[in-house]
C-alpha cells in the first residue's frame, strides 16, 4: 500500500512538473512564426556619436539610414524597443504580466494587426522600404545580442510589425484610454472637452464623471497617458529682433515606450533632419531640417463617439437600421506572466460596423474614433521630414493622415504657423454628439474626417508669435490675432480648455515688447501659477475650510494662502503647494472628480512632517531628478511652463520626477545663415544602460536650464565626434 501511494505521489509530482515546464515554455513556441520575409538587400550606415552620445546616422539611401536608426537606438535602449515590439505583436503580457496583457487586449480590440495587414502593402514603396530596413536593423541587433533578449521568438520582425505598433499607439494620443477604461469597468464616461451641441446643454459642472473604482492600465503610452502635455513657441524675426525661433518643449515620460530619443539623420537622397523619435519609429516625429521645423503638442478634441447597441437575447446580433447584423467575434489568447510562468488567458473581442465593441454590466457599447483603420501617418511623417517649403509641408498635413496633435511650425523664410491638426469626424448637424449615441441609427455612423480647411489654423499673426500649451486653439497669438470659437462648428468637437501653462504663456508673451532669446527663455522656464481655473478653485476651497480646531492644518493653510504662486525653490510654501496642486491638475486634465482640499492638505502635511520634520522644507530638497548615482534638485511643478509634472515617491520621501520637461529643442534661422539648434534631455542618450557614460550626462545641464549644441552639419559632427563606425548587414 505504501509503495502504491508512493507511485501516485511520484506521478502527481511528475504531472505538476510537466505542467510547470509547459507554462514556462509554451508562449515562445506558440508565437513562433515561419512566414517573416526579411528584405533581401544590403544596408550600410555610418553612426557617429558626439560628446553626449547622440547618434548621427548617415547612409546612401533613406533605407540605409533607417536601418542605422534601429542599430543606434538598440545600442542605447534595446530593453524598451523590445517592449514596444512585444506590444506590436500582442505579446506584452508575457513580459509585463497583467498590465501588459491589458494592452494586448486593446491591441486585439482595435485590430491593430488587421489595420497593418490591410494597409501596409498599399503604402508607397519607399515608405515600406524605410520600415523594412528598420525591422532589419532590430533583427540584426537581436541576433548579435541574444543575452539581452527578454522573450523568445520576438524576433525576427518585419516592417508590417512595426506598422502595427503605430496603429496601436496613435489613438491614445487624443485620449482613447479615457473611453476604453470606463467602458471596461462599467463606470460613467468622462465628460468630453468639446463644446455643447446646440439644443443639448450639459451641466455647468466642470466634471460629470466620478472617479473610477479601479484604475486599468490599458494604454500603450503608459500609466501617465492622461497627463500628456507640451509647450511650443514660434516667433517671427520681426518680433525676436533677429532669427525666426522655434522652441519644442515636449512633456513626456522620461522612461519607456514614449520617451524621446534624440538623433540626427542624413542620407544621399536628401533626408537631413535633427530631432527625436519614440522607440519603434524609423524617423523623427519633431525637430527641423535645413529649411523648416515643427513641434507638436497634444490636443484633446472630441474624436471618439460611443454607441449603445441594441442586441438580441442571445447576444449574437445587433440592430442596425431595419436589419439585424451578426456581431463579429474573435477569441484571442493573452499571455500573462506570473513569476516564471506564463498563463494563456482567452478573451473574446467583438466588433460591429461602428468599430470595436465592449460588453459591460450596462450593455454592449461600440466606439468609433478619428483615424480609425488608417495607416497613412507612416508615410505622412516621412514626407514631413523631407518637406522644403511651407506649402509642401502643409499639403502633407492636409491629407489628414496624422490623426491628432497640434503642429507649431517655423521656417528659414520667417514664416510661423499653428495648425490644430486632428482627423475630426465629419459629423452632421442635429444629433447630440456629446453623449452616448443610438447604435441602431445608421445616420450616426460617419465616414472619414472633415476637410483640412475646417481646422483652426494660424499663419504669420500680427503679434509675431504663436504658442500652444495643450489649450484651446483660441488663445494662441494674442489679443487681436486669436481666432474666435464662434467660427468653428460645435460638431467638430474642438476643446474649450485652458491650462495654467497656457494662461501664463499668453500673459507673458503678450507683455513682451521683444521676444529675443533671453526673454523667451525666461518665459519657457517660468515656474508661476495664475490664480485661475482649478488653482483658483483649490485656493478658494482652502480659504473656506473651517480649521479652528485643527491648528496643524490651519498653519499649513496660512502658508499656502501667503504663497507667492511661484514654484522656484525660493518661497517657504513651495513644497506644500507642489504636493497640493498635482492631484487637482490631474483631475482637471482627465475630467475626473477632484479630491477634497482638506484630504489633500492632510496628506501633504503628513508627508512633509514624516519625511522632513517640517511643512516648509526647501522644494529642491523634496523634488529631485534621480537616475543612478545622479540626484539633483529640480524646480517647476505640475502644469508650470517649467514642467515637473509627475513623480514617484521614493522611500526617503523625496519625489523622483518621471514626467515633465523632456526633449527640449531650440531652433533658430538667421537671415542668410544656416539653421542652428540646441537641445537637452533630462537624463542622456542611453537611459537604460547604467554603465554608459551617457546614462545621465545631460542631467546637470537640464536642471540648470542650459542647452547643448545640436551638431546638424556634417563638418560640425566630425569636429565633435567621440566615436565613429560603419554598420552593415552584409554577410
Amino acid at each position: 500500500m505504501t509503495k502504491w501511494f508512493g507511485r501516485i505521489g511520484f506521478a502527481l509530482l511528475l504531472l505538476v512538473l510537466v505542467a510547470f515546464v509547459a507554462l514556462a515554455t509554451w508562449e515562445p513556441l506558440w508565437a513562433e512564426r515561419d512566414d517573416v520575409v526579411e528584405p533581401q538587400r544590403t544596408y550600410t550606415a555610418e553612426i557617429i556619436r558626439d560628446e553626449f552620445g547622440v547618434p548621427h546616422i548617415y547612409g546612401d539611401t533613406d533605407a540605409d539610414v533607417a536601418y542605422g536608426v534601429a542599430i543606434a537606438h538598440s545600442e542605447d535602449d534595446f530593453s524598451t524597443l523590445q517592449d514596444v515590439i512585444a506590444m506590436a505583436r500582442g505579446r506584452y503580457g508575457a513580459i509585463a504580466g497583467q498590465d501588459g496583457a491589458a494592452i494586448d487586449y486593446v491591441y486585439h480590440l482595435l485590430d491593430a494587426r488587421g489595420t497593418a495587414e490591410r494597409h501596409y502593402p498599399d503604402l508607397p514603396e519607399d515608405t515600406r522600404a524605410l520600415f523594412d530596413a528598420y525591422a532589419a536593423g532590430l533583427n540584426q541587433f537581436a541576433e548579435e545580442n541574444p543575452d539581452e533578449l527578454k522573450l523568445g521568438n520576438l524576433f525576427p520582425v518585419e516592417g508590417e510589425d512595426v506598422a502595427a505598433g503605430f496603429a496601436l499607439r496613435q489613438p491614445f494620443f487624443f485620449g482613447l484610454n479615457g473611453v476604453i477604461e470606463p467602458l471596461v469597468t462599467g463606470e460613467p464616461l468622462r465628460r468630453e472637452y468639446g463644446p455643447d451641441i446646440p439644443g443639448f446643454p450639459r451641466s455647468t459642472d466642470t466634471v460629470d464623471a466620478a472617479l473610477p473604482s479601479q484604475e486599468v492600465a490599458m494604454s500603450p503610452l503608459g500609466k501617465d497617458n492622461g497627463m500628456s502635455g507640451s509647450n511650443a513657441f514660434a516667433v517671427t524675426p520681426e518680433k525676436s529682433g533677429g532669427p525666426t525661433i522655434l522652441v519644442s518643449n515636449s512633456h513626456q515620460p522620461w522612461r519607456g515606450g514614449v520617451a524621446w530619443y534624440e538623433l540626427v539623420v542624413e542620407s544621399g537622397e536628401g533626408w537631413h533632419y535633427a530631432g527625436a523619435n519614440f522607440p519603434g519609429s524609423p524617423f523623427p516625429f519633431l525637430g527641423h531640417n535645413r529649411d523648416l521645423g515643427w513641434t507638436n503638442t497634444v490636443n484633446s478634441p472630441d474624436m471618439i463617439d460611443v454607441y449603445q447597441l441594441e442586441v438580441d437575447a442571445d447576444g449574437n446580433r445587433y440592430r442596425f437600421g431595419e436589419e439585424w447584423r451578426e456581431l463579429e467575434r474573435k477569441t484571442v489568447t493573452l499571455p500573462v506572466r506570473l513569476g516564471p510562468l506564463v498563463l494563456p488567458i482567452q478573451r473574446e473581442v467583438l466588433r460591429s460596423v461602428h468599430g470595436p465593441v465592449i460588453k459591460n454590466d450596462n450593455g454592449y457599447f461600440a466606439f468609433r474614433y478619428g483615424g480609425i483603420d488608417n495607416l497613412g501617418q507612416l508615410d505622412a511623417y516621412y514626407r514631413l521630414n523631407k518637406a522644403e517649403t511651407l506649402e509642401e509641408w502643409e499639403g502633407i498635413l492636409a491629407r489628414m493622415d496624422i490623426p491628432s496633435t497640434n503642429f507649431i511650425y517655423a521656417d528659414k523664410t520667417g514664416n510661423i504657423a499653428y495648425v490644430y491638426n486632428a482627423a475630426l469626424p465629419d459629423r452632421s448637424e442635429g444629433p447630440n454628439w456629446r453623449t452616448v449615441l443610438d447604435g441602431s441609427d445608421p445616420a450616426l455612423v460617419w465616414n472619414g474626417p472633415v476637410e483640412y480647411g475646417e481646422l483652426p489654423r494660424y499663419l504669420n499673426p500680427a503679434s509675431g508669435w504663436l504658442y500652444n500649451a495643450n489649450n484651446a486653439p483660441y488663445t494662441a497669438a494674442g489679443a487681436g490675432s486669436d481666432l474666435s470659437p464662434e467660427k468653428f462648428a460645435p460638431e467638430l468637437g474642438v476643446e474649450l480648455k485652458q491650462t495654467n501653462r497656457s494662461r501664463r504663456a499668453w500673459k507673458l508673451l503678450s507683455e513682451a515688447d521683444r521676444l529675443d532669446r533671453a526673454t523667451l527663455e525666461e518665459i519657457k522656464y517660468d515656474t508661476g501659477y495664475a490664480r485661475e481655473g482649478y488653482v483658483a478653485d483649490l485656493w478658494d476651497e482652502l480659504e473656506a475650510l473651517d480649521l479652528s480646531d485643527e491648528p496643524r492644518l490651519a498653519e499649513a493653510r496660512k502658508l499656502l494662502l501667503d504663497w507667492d504662486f511661484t514654484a522656484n525653490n525660493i518661497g517657504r510654501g513651495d513644497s506644500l503647494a507642489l504636493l497640493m496642486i498635482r492631484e487637482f491638475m490631474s483631475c482637471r486634465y482627465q475630467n475626473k472628480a477632484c479630491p477634497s482640499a482638506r484630504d489633500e492638505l492632510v496628506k501633504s502635511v503628513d508627508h512633509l512632517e514624516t519625511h522632513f520634520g517640517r511643512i516648509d522644507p526647501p522644494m529642491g530638497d523634496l523634488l529631485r531628478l534621480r537616475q543612478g548615482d545622479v540626484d539633483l534638485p529640480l524646480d517647476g511643478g505640475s502644469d508650470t511652463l517649467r514642467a515637473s509634472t509627475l513623480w514617484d515617491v521614493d522611500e526617503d520621501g523625496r519625489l523622483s520626477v518621471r514626467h515633465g520637461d523632456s526633449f527640449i529643442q531650440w531652433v533658430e534661422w538667421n537671415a542668410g545663415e544656416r539653421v542652428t539648434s540646441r537641445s537637452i534631455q533630462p537624463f542622456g542618450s542611453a537611459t537604460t544602460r547604467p554603465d554608459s557614460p551617457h546614462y545621465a550626462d545631460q542631467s546637470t545641464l537640464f536642471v540648470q536650464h542650459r542647452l547643448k549644441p545640436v551638431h546638424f552639419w556634417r563638418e560640425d559632427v566630425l569636429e565633435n565626434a567621440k566615436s565613429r563606425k560603419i554598420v552593415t548587414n552584409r554577410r
Side-chain angles (χ1 to χ4, degrees):
M1 182 67 72
T2 302
K3 185 181 296 185
W4 187 69
F5 276 116
R7 289 173 179 170
I8 293 177
F10 178 77
L12 288 174
L13 179 62
L14 183 62
L15 184 62
V16 169
L17 181 62
V18 169
F20 181 89
V21 171
L23 289 174
T25 60
W26 73 273
E27 200 277 341
L29 298 174
W30 167 77
E32 185 176 8
R33 301 188 300 180
D34 57 8
D35 60 343
V36 175
V37 179
E38 297 192 66
Q40 300 300 305
R41 60 171 286 183
T42 298
Y43 302 107
T44 302
E46 182 181 28
I47 302 174
I48 302 176
R49 292 186 182 269
D50 63 23
E51 66 270 38
F52 286 96
V54 174
H56 302 253
I57 302 135
Y58 299 89
D60 290 339
T61 68
D62 293 354
D64 287 328
V65 171
Y67 159 81
V69 169
I71 296 290
H73 203 162
S74 296
E75 290 174 344
D76 289 331
D77 191 3
F78 191 51
S79 176
T80 301
L81 282 166
Q82 290 182 76
D83 291 344
V84 169
I85 292 300
M87 292 180 197
R89 291 191 54 191
R91 298 180 60 195
Y92 191 45
I95 293 175
Q98 185 174 348
D99 288 344
I103 295 170
D104 294 339
Y105 166 75
V106 172
Y107 166 85
H108 293 290
L109 180 70
L110 301 187
D111 192 26
R113 170 62 55 178
T115 299
E117 290 175 348
R118 285 188 292 275
H119 302 298
Y120 186 76
D122 297 330
L123 291 172
E125 182 178 356
D126 57 346
T127 300
R128 284 184 283 113
L130 211 69
F131 279 78
D132 292 344
Y134 182 80
L138 296 177
N139 293 338
Q140 180 175 331
F141 190 89
E143 182 179 356
E144 294 174 354
N145 297 273
D147 56 317
E148 293 194 31
L149 293 174
K150 295 181 177 182
L151 195 58
N153 285 332
L154 185 58
F155 298 95
V157 294
E158 53 193 356
E160 191 174 281
D161 295 306
V162 182
F166 276 66
L168 168 64
R169 292 193 290 179
Q170 180 59 46
F172 289 87
F173 282 99
F174 55 80
L176 186 58
N177 59 300
V179 169
I180 292 180
E181 290 176 8
L183 284 181
V184 167
T185 61
E187 302 287 345
L189 290 170
R190 301 168 195 167
R191 177 174 175 148
E192 298 145 324
Y193 282 110
D196 291 350
I197 299 296
F200 301 97
R202 291 177 291 179
S203 165
T204 57
D205 294 339
T206 304
V207 179
D208 293 332
L211 284 168
S213 57
Q214 58 177 312
E215 291 294 332
V216 184
M218 307 196 74
S219 169
L221 306 189
K223 61 182 178 180
D224 299 334
N225 178 213
M227 305 303 295
S228 296
S230 292
N231 305 322
F233 307 90
V235 182
T236 64
E238 293 79 12
K239 188 67 176 180
S240 74
T244 307
I245 301 174
L246 175 67
V247 180
S248 176
N249 177 207
S250 183
H251 302 160
Q252 286 293 122
W254 290 0
R255 303 174 181 89
V258 283
W260 289 112
Y261 180 71
E262 184 177 6
L263 69 168
V264 180
V265 296
E266 185 173 358
S267 82
E269 295 180 331
W271 185 19
H272 188 188
Y273 200 92
N277 69 357
F278 293 145
S281 171
F283 40 60
F285 289 122
L286 48 77
H288 70 89
N289 58 31
R290 297 177 181 87
D291 304 307
L292 57 84
W294 74 86
T295 187
N296 298 118
T297 62
V298 172
N299 51 9
S300 51
D302 177 11
M303 293 270 285
I304 308 158
D305 286 321
V306 178
Y307 305 80
Q308 183 158 18
L309 304 183
E310 181 184 341
V311 178
D312 66 14
D314 296 328
N316 294 322
R317 298 188 304 158
Y318 64 97
R319 189 166 70 84
F320 190 67
E322 299 301 319
E323 61 182 16
W324 288 84
R325 298 192 178 189
E326 292 288 328
L327 273 173
E328 297 179 33
R329 295 178 178 272
K330 181 180 180 181
T331 300
V332 298
T333 299
L334 307 178
V336 185
R337 177 163 293 281
L338 186 64
L341 308 179
V342 178
L343 306 179
I345 305 298
Q346 291 195 325
R347 289 289 182 267
E348 189 175 54
V349 293
L350 308 174
R351 293 186 71 84
S352 69
V353 68
H354 312 79
V357 175
I358 294 174
K359 178 182 181 297
N360 61 34
D361 292 342
N362 302 312
Y364 290 77
F365 296 87
F367 59 91
R368 189 172 186 82
Y369 51 90
I372 191 171
D373 200 38
N374 182 3
L375 208 61
Q377 61 179 298
L378 278 67
D379 181 66
Y381 273 115
Y382 176 35
R383 305 300 166 192
L384 287 176
N385 268 235
K386 301 181 74 170
E388 297 179 356
T389 66
L390 171 63
E391 292 73 24
E392 182 184 0
W393 180 87
E394 198 165 12
I396 297 163
L397 276 190
R399 290 162 36 181
M400 306 292 280
D401 280 330
I402 300 175
S404 70
T405 68
N406 299 300
F407 278 77
I408 303 287
Y409 167 99
D411 66 29
K412 68 179 182 181
T413 65
N415 291 312
I416 64 172
Y418 164 27
V419 178
Y420 182 87
N421 173 71
L424 300 173
D426 190 7
R427 302 176 174 115
S428 60
E429 293 185 17
N432 182 11
W433 298 100
R434 302 287 105 82
T435 190
V436 176
L437 301 165
D438 179 4
S440 67
D441 186 351
L444 299 178
V445 181
W446 42 264
N447 289 299
V450 300
E451 295 294 325
Y452 179 75
E454 296 185 50
L455 303 179
R457 170 184 174 273
Y458 294 82
L459 176 63
N460 297 326
S463 65
W465 53 265
L466 287 164
Y467 86 96
N468 186 264
N470 311 113
N471 52 289
Y474 310 123
T475 50
S481 295
D482 283 332
L483 297 173
S484 170
E486 283 73 29
K487 293 184 178 180
F488 299 91
E491 289 79 15
L492 294 174
V494 177
E495 68 262 37
L496 300 174
K497 172 187 175 184
Q498 292 296 335
T499 60
N500 175 73
R501 290 175 289 111
S502 170
R503 293 183 172 98
R504 291 290 295 173
W506 195 93
K507 177 180 184 294
L508 296 171
L509 290 164
S510 297
E511 291 173 348
D513 294 328
R514 174 166 290 185
L515 289 170
D516 55 15
R517 179 185 287 187
T519 304
L520 198 54
E521 283 180 348
E522 288 181 8
I523 294 171
K524 184 269 147 295
Y525 288 107
D526 176 70
T527 60
Y529 284 95
R531 188 166 173 172
E532 300 178 53
Y534 68 85
V535 177
D537 293 342
L538 172 56
W539 255 253
D540 290 347
E541 188 177 347
L542 285 169
E543 285 185 322
L545 290 177
D546 180 5
L547 301 176
S548 56
D549 59 345
E550 299 182 79
R552 185 176 70 114
L553 297 184
E555 179 188 0
R557 176 176 62 179
K558 184 178 187 308
L559 187 62
L560 290 171
L561 296 182
D562 292 340
W563 184 51
D564 64 0
F565 288 89
T566 307
N568 58 2
N569 281 335
I570 296 175
R572 285 184 59 238
D574 285 4
S575 289
L576 185 58
L578 178 80
L579 292 172
M580 288 292 296
I581 287 174
R582 171 174 152 169
E583 291 306 315
F584 291 86
M585 177 209 69
S586 176
C587 66
R588 294 299 174 86
Y589 264 44
Q590 302 178 80
N591 266 351
K592 296 181 179 179
C594 291
S596 75
R598 179 189 290 270
D599 289 346
E600 287 303 305
L601 187 61
V602 170
K603 286 167 52 179
S604 300
V605 168
D606 285 347
H607 182 87
L608 294 175
E609 289 184 337
T610 298
H611 295 286
F612 297 91
R614 53 193 284 200
I615 63 172
D616 61 345
M619 195 181 80
D621 290 353
L622 175 67
L623 191 69
R624 310 295 293 183
L625 181 153
R626 287 178 162 177
Q627 172 85 328
D629 295 331
V630 173
D631 189 356
L632 298 169
L634 273 166
D635 60 348
S638 302
D639 203 16
T640 54
L641 289 167
R642 168 48 155 183
S644 297
T645 310
L646 300 173
W647 49 74
D648 294 316
V649 180
D650 291 340
E651 290 184 3
D652 62 0
R654 269 66 177 178
L655 312 179
S656 181
V657 176
R658 68 170 187 265
H659 186 137
D661 273 7
S662 49
F663 176 67
I664 302 173
Q665 187 183 57
W666 189 294
V667 192
E668 295 181 350
W669 286 271
N670 276 291
E673 299 179 10
R674 300 192 303 183
V675 64
T676 62
S677 57
R678 298 169 296 142
S679 66
I680 202 67
Q681 291 265 49
F683 298 140
S685 294
T687 57
T688 60
R689 305 283 191 187
D691 295 333
S692 169
H694 308 299
Y695 183 56
D697 58 335
Q698 299 182 44
S699 296
T700 298
L701 294 176
F702 180 83
V703 301
Q704 294 174 347
H705 302 177
R706 296 166 60 195
L707 306 176
K708 61 179 183 56
V710 172
H711 305 300
F712 183 67
W713 303 99
R714 185 170 174 86
E715 62 269 25
D716 188 27
V717 175
L718 293 175
E719 288 178 5
N720 292 277
K722 297 303 179 183
S723 69
R724 186 177 181 183
K725 69 177 181 180
I726 302 294
V727 294
T728 182
N729 66 338
R730 185 182 294 113
R731 301 296 184 183

